[in-house]
Amino acid sequence: MDFGLNFFPVFTPDHKPAWQFYREVIALSRLAEEYGFEHVQTVEHYGTPYGGYSPDPVTLLSAIAARTKTIRVATGAVIPAFTHPLQLASKLVMLDNISEGRLDVGFGRAWLPQEFGWLGVSLDESRRRFNEGIEACRRLWSEQDVVFNGEFHSFGPVTLSPRPVQQSGPPVFVASASSPDSCAAAGKAGHHLQVVPTIVGHDVVVKMLAAYRAAWADAGHAKGAARIQLKYNCYLSQDREAALRRGEELENNHVVLMSEAAEGWARTQSDQYEGYDKLVHKAREYDFRKALANGKILAGTPSDVVAQLDTAREAFGDDLCISIQVNPGYTEYRDAEQTLRLFAEEVAPLFKPAER
């Protein structure tokens, strides 16, 4: 089991200005590198307190890459539907060069109706744009004089400049919310996987990972080469009740702001997002203690979190990279640093690195 650091800002500007958040993210990234963490990653969202402080992961990750030397930088994820593939491939490969070959690229479909509306993209096209964007980026990274004729974009011949540091381009991850079929498609294509257990049930995650691993093996990809990231919010303290109080407060903040951002689903339907019209209602039924008992959050003392990770490992396998968020919501920097240090010193050493 490997460990990384995830940044998903969910709070309002009155809680923390953007410049302060970015400064804290860079400081936490440098500390994670000192502790030997595998990666840092961040999201792409627009216009709301739900992730809106990270509209361009590449910009933030470039700042992190310039201040670190060994830790990998990962998008978790960029949205092909919102950017021309030539632009997206170019700025990602620029980050690959800035980081000297430390980039992992997670691609996502996006899911908030207002983001699609603001950017003039149809929700119903999201999956096709997602697939086309990945294909175009991979070709631009690995080929020269690319001529691309897709449903949404046609261009070329063009040779991307600069060229990637990593041979054939950065490793590709696919972010999957809940669909075993999407995970199977990622495994068949030889992509790596990003999953957020918080938003789906334990049994669903088991099915998603089983479908992914089976498709990876059936396609003949190298055994043990698949990389699977699971993302968790993490609240740690030597005082269990203090960790749980902070966790409950910040998880409820997350649910409120996510629900507000997802209000568009009350007026929207798409066969590409089955069940999303019920998302706000489900979010409002959220219960922190139930979520903790169901393994959707890491919270408590270091020994509590070790037990929670042991449970995850038994259910989901040994070949995992756990990406923790130590500053969810409007977390004070001292609390985020304390969580990271406790995790790195008292939790991570009890787990062997994943074998690849």
Side-chain angles (χ1 to χ4, degrees):
M1 187 176 282
D2 298 316
F3 298 102
L5 205 55
N6 180 38
F7 297 110
F8 193 137
V10 182
F11 52 87
T12 56
D14 59 309
H15 280 126
K16 187 179 294 187
W19 64 263
Q20 182 180 344
F21 171 72
Y22 302 141
R23 183 179 67 185
E24 292 175 359
V25 163
I26 292 168
L28 290 167
S29 298
R30 296 181 68 179
L31 184 59
E33 179 175 68
E34 291 177 16
Y35 278 118
F37 275 44
E38 194 256 4
H39 73 266
V40 295
Q41 64 174 280
T42 191
V43 297
E44 178 179 341
H45 275 293
Y46 299 90
T48 76
Y50 182 73
Y53 268 15
S54 186
D56 182 13
V58 173
T59 300
L60 183 52
L61 293 172
S62 293
I64 294 169
R67 291 165 174 82
T68 56
K69 295 183 181 299
T70 59
I71 197 166
R72 297 191 68 79
V73 291
T75 62
V78 290
I79 312 301
F82 295 161
T83 308
H84 190 288
L86 181 57
Q87 292 174 301
L88 184 58
S90 296
K91 69 178 185 176
L92 286 165
V93 83
M94 190 174 180
L95 175 54
D96 192 45
N97 278 267
I98 290 170
S99 66
E100 298 181 355
R102 289 183 281 139
L103 176 62
D104 293 325
V105 180
F107 291 99
R109 265 207 308 146
W111 64 278
L112 293 175
Q114 67 268 42
E115 291 183 343
F116 283 88
W118 292 333
L119 294 167
V121 178
S122 169
L123 272 167
D124 294 334
E125 297 172 354
S126 66
R127 187 178 299 279
R128 303 198 308 278
R129 287 182 177 272
F130 171 78
N131 292 331
E132 181 173 302
I134 295 176
E135 179 190 358
C137 285
R138 294 195 72 182
R139 286 192 58 195
L140 285 163
W141 292 334
S142 61
E143 301 175 19
Q144 298 191 22
D145 295 322
V146 174
V147 176
F148 190 85
N149 293 299
E151 179 182 358
F152 304 103
H153 302 285
S154 295
F155 55 85
V158 59
T159 298
L160 198 67
S161 179
R163 304 301 296 166
V165 174
Q166 298 177 87
Q167 187 175 8
S168 299
V172 169
F173 286 73
V174 167
S176 181
S178 61
S179 170
D181 289 342
S182 294
C183 293
K188 181 178 180 181
H191 301 327
H192 306 293
L193 190 65
Q194 295 176 336
V195 174
V196 184
T198 305
I199 62 178
V200 292
H202 175 278
D203 292 343
V204 176
V205 177
V206 170
K207 291 177 181 176
M208 292 168 70
L209 299 187
Y212 174 75
R213 292 184 177 112
W216 178 282
D218 290 345
H221 301 302
K223 185 178 181 180
R227 297 165 62 193
I228 301 172
Q229 293 176 355
L230 300 186
K231 308 179 190 184
Y232 293 90
N233 287 351
C234 183
Y235 307 92
L236 260 177
S237 173
Q238 298 292 9
D239 181 338
R240 176 180 293 112
E241 287 308 311
L244 298 185
R245 282 195 303 271
R246 187 166 72 247
E248 186 164 13
E249 175 188 350
L250 292 171
E251 288 297 301
N252 286 336
N253 165 77
H254 184 107
V255 169
V256 168
L257 295 180
M258 183 188 75
S259 298
E260 291 176 358
E263 283 287 352
W265 282 111
R267 304 176 297 277
T268 306
Q269 285 190 331
S270 171
D271 60 6
Q272 299 297 302
Y273 292 87
E274 186 176 352
Y276 276 66
D277 55 323
K278 302 178 179 66
L279 189 65
V280 174
H281 176 71
K282 290 180 180 178
R284 287 173 177 162
E285 293 181 336
Y286 177 85
D287 181 275
F288 173 77
R289 299 287 170 156
K290 288 182 179 178
L292 180 61
N294 291 331
K296 296 185 175 186
I297 307 160
L298 303 176
T301 65
S303 60
D304 292 333
V305 171
V306 168
Q308 291 157 12
L309 286 172
D310 271 331
T311 299
R313 180 172 58 180
E314 290 172 6
F316 306 141
D318 292 324
D319 56 338
L320 305 175
C321 184
I322 304 297
S323 191
I324 62 168
Q325 181 165 213
V326 299
N327 64 340
Y330 44 86
T331 311
E332 294 289 338
Y333 179 78
R334 64 177 180 272
D335 292 330
E337 182 179 322
Q338 177 196 50
T339 294
L340 179 54
R341 289 188 183 279
L342 282 174
F343 191 96
E345 294 173 4
E346 300 190 27
V347 177
L350 299 181
F351 296 87
K352 294 180 180 179
E355 295 183 6
R356 307 209 181 279

